[in-house]
């Protein structure tokens, strides 16, 4: 995908030396490569803004508060509620007299914390199980992302205008996809280069005079089918993530990561300051390595237990994890297959409705 594609609404000039009037600044949009790094950075920016920036704007009655900011703030109750669930067990465990109850409460709290992490990861990453096969088969990338830059209130004249960022998907709307972000003029490529690739991939032909017109109905079909499939499968995979987090082998990881298991650094009395700092760094690296290895082993063992079921259990409890894995996997496979089938069927129908200009047609 194109790196750093920007679309500027217009150019601006400072009214006075060193002064830029916000009224002269218009929004800019930048395509972002679909990489893990960009996804993490976008998620970080969106989450921090939801906690810090957007609530303040709303409470102040800012006219620039919009529906995007309202939806982004949905992250706040999710994270706050998750933290509350963890605190219910971890926060009160120190008041228990029975040590067995203390350990049980801490174990549940830790698994809840891990469950929150796995829930979010599974829900997010599982979307790729549908979008990637669809892109390979149809050339349509439903996860194509762009960043929108807007500026502070145009009534304010600031020497350093305040940037505000929004993270969007080109195809996040079925009714209004950002087709303008898919043209190649800004990067020195043919105007319809991306639409040409999609048309070729789906058997509509090559060197079409208006490939964008031919392809846009296919894109809408893919958006509708894939969004529905992602909504269903992502929550199923999130449930698998939570089930994985509550397996017994994680207790070994929690014990390895506890303060009591942390290897303390013994300061050498004859060593100088630099040697002691280096020793602490080496000791910390060893602890991190040990904990990382413990996490890996616990992850593998927990996955095995989830699939095989708890030892000694029978019936549904024994096979619940296996069943859930099968349902989640089937939802992704069927969702991707249905999306690809729909695109190919629509393309085939459209191809049959096109007259070959080389054929002679006689009208009687």
């Amino acid at each position: 995908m194109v790196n750093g594609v920007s679309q500027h609404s217009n150019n601006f000039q400072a009214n006075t030396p060193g002064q830029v009037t916000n009224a002269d600044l218009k929004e800019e949009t930048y395509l972002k490569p679909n990489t893990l790094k960009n996804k993490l950075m976008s998620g970080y920016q969106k989450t921090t803004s939801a906690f810090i920036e957007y609530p303040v704007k709303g409470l102040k009655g800012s006219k620039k508060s919009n529906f995007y900011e309202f939806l982004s703030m949905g992250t706040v109750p999710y994270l706050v509620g998750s933290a509350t669930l963890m605190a219910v067990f971890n926060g009160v465990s120190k008041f228990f007299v029975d040590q067995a109850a203390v350990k049980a409460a801490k174990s549940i709290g830790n698994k809840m914390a891990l469950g929150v992490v796995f829930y979010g990861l599974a829900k997010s990453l599982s979307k790729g199980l549908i979008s990637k096969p669809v892109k390979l088969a149809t050339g349509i990338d439903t996860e194509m992302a762009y960043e929108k830059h807007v500026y502070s209130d145009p009534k304010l004249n600031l020497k350093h205008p305040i940037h505000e960022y929004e993270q969007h998907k080109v195809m996040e709307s079925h009714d209004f996809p950002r087709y303008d972000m898919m043209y190649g003029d800004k990067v020195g490529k043919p105007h319809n280069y991306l639409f040409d690739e999609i048309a070729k991939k789906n058997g509509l032909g090559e060197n079409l005079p208006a490939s964008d017109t031919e392809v846009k109905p296919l894109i809408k079909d893919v958006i509708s089918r894939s969004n529905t499939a992602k909504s269903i499968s992502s929550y199923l995979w999130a449930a698998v993530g939570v089930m994985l987090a509550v397996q017994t082998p994680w207790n070994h990881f929690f014990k390895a990561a506890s303060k009591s298991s942390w290897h303390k650094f013994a300061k050498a009395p004859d060593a100088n300051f630099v040697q002691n700092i280096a020793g602490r760094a080496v000791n910390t690296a060893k602890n991190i390595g040990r904990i990382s290895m413990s996490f890996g082993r616990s992850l593998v063992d927990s996955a095995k237990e989830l699939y095989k079921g708890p030892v000694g259990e029978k019936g549904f409890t024994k096979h619940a994890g296996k069943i859930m894995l099968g349902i989640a996997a089937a939802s992704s496979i069927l969702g991707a297959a249905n999306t690809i089938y729909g695109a190919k069927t629509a393309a085939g129908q459209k191809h049959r409705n096109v007259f070959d200009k080389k054929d002679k047609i006689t009208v009687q």
Side-chain angles (χ1 to χ4, degrees):
M1 191 44 57
V2 185
N3 293 338
V5 177
S6 81
Q7 296 184 343
H8 304 268
S9 298
N10 75 322
N11 296 323
F12 62 85
Q13 293 180 349
N15 288 355
T16 58
Q19 184 86 11
V20 176
T21 303
N22 286 346
D24 295 328
L25 296 173
K26 304 301 180 183
E27 72 175 42
E28 302 168 333
T29 52
Y30 298 87
L31 273 179
K32 301 181 70 175
N34 191 7
T35 63
L36 178 60
K37 179 182 177 181
N38 282 338
K39 287 181 179 180
L40 291 175
M41 293 301 295
S42 296
Y44 172 77
Q45 187 277 320
K46 192 172 183 178
T47 302
T48 52
S49 294
F51 274 90
I52 301 171
E53 180 184 345
Y54 302 154
V56 174
K57 287 178 63 179
L59 292 172
K60 285 184 176 181
S62 172
K63 293 182 179 180
K64 296 196 72 178
S65 291
N66 55 34
F67 191 57
Y68 166 83
E69 296 176 0
F70 169 75
L71 292 178
S72 297
M73 285 190 290
T75 308
V76 176
Y78 165 70
L79 293 177
V80 172
S82 299
T84 303
L85 279 174
M86 300 173 208
V88 166
F89 291 91
N90 290 338
V92 301
S93 62
K94 61 183 178 181
F95 298 107
F96 296 158
V97 178
D98 187 3
Q99 288 301 309
V102 173
K103 290 182 179 180
K106 285 185 176 180
S107 177
I108 294 173
N110 288 333
K111 287 179 179 179
M112 279 190 171
L114 196 63
V116 169
V117 174
F118 283 179
Y119 176 94
L121 286 175
K123 189 172 181 294
S124 177
L125 296 177
S126 63
K127 294 177 181 179
L129 297 175
I130 292 175
S131 62
K132 290 186 183 299
V134 168
K135 181 182 178 181
L136 287 173
T138 67
I140 300 173
D141 184 7
T142 56
E143 294 296 314
M144 189 187 304
Y146 72 93
E147 187 172 76
K148 180 180 177 182
H149 294 197
V150 294
Y151 297 90
S152 50
D153 194 335
K155 295 180 180 179
L156 302 175
N157 294 335
L158 304 175
K159 186 174 182 180
H160 300 289
I162 301 173
H163 290 71
E164 296 176 1
Y165 305 95
E166 295 181 6
Q167 309 298 333
H168 292 279
K169 299 288 177 63
V170 172
M171 301 179 193
E172 66 188 5
S173 169
H174 171 270
D175 296 318
F176 305 103
R178 287 294 303 269
Y179 293 128
D180 58 299
M181 302 290 292
M182 299 176 67
Y183 291 106
D185 306 80
K186 297 290 184 179
V187 291
K189 291 189 176 184
H191 181 66
N192 283 346
Y193 85 101
L194 187 53
F195 296 102
D196 290 339
E197 292 176 3
I198 296 173
K200 181 181 178 180
K201 196 89 171 177
N202 292 279
L204 290 175
E206 301 180 46
N207 302 318
L208 299 177
S211 60
D212 54 345
T213 302
E214 301 291 335
V215 163
K216 286 176 181 179
L218 268 68
I219 292 177
K220 284 198 170 187
D221 186 276
V222 167
I223 292 173
S224 180
R225 292 172 185 263
S226 65
N227 281 353
T228 302
K230 289 176 188 176
S231 295
I232 296 171
S233 67
S234 63
Y235 282 103
L236 291 172
W237 281 111
V240 172
V242 174
M243 292 176 71
L244 178 64
V246 299
Q247 301 304 311
T248 306
W250 287 114
N251 291 333
H252 300 297
F253 167 68
F254 298 138
K255 183 178 180 181
S258 65
K259 291 182 179 180
S260 59
S261 299
W262 189 270
H263 294 164
K264 296 182 180 180
F265 173 70
K267 185 176 180 180
D270 298 330
N272 59 35
F273 176 77
V274 175
Q275 289 175 324
N276 280 322
I277 291 295
R280 288 183 183 277
V282 171
N283 186 69
T284 301
K286 287 181 178 180
N287 279 310
I288 292 175
R290 177 180 55 81
I291 293 172
S292 299
M293 290 180 65
S294 177
F295 179 86
R297 286 193 297 268
S298 296
L299 178 61
V300 172
D301 292 342
S302 294
K304 290 179 180 178
E305 184 174 279
L306 175 64
Y307 184 78
K308 295 180 179 179
V311 178
E313 295 290 344
K314 295 181 179 181
F316 178 78
T317 304
K318 179 74 173 178
H319 302 288
K322 192 180 301 183
I323 293 171
M324 195 68 219
L325 278 169
I327 294 174
S331 69
S332 294
I333 294 170
L334 294 175
N338 179 63
T339 303
I340 294 169
Y341 172 79
K344 297 298 183 181
T345 302
Q349 184 64 40
K350 198 168 186 62
H351 183 70
R352 286 193 293 271
N353 292 336
V354 177
F355 287 105
D356 188 344
K357 294 181 180 180
K358 295 180 181 179
D359 291 342
K360 294 182 180 179
I361 300 175
T362 302
V363 181
Q364 297 180 346

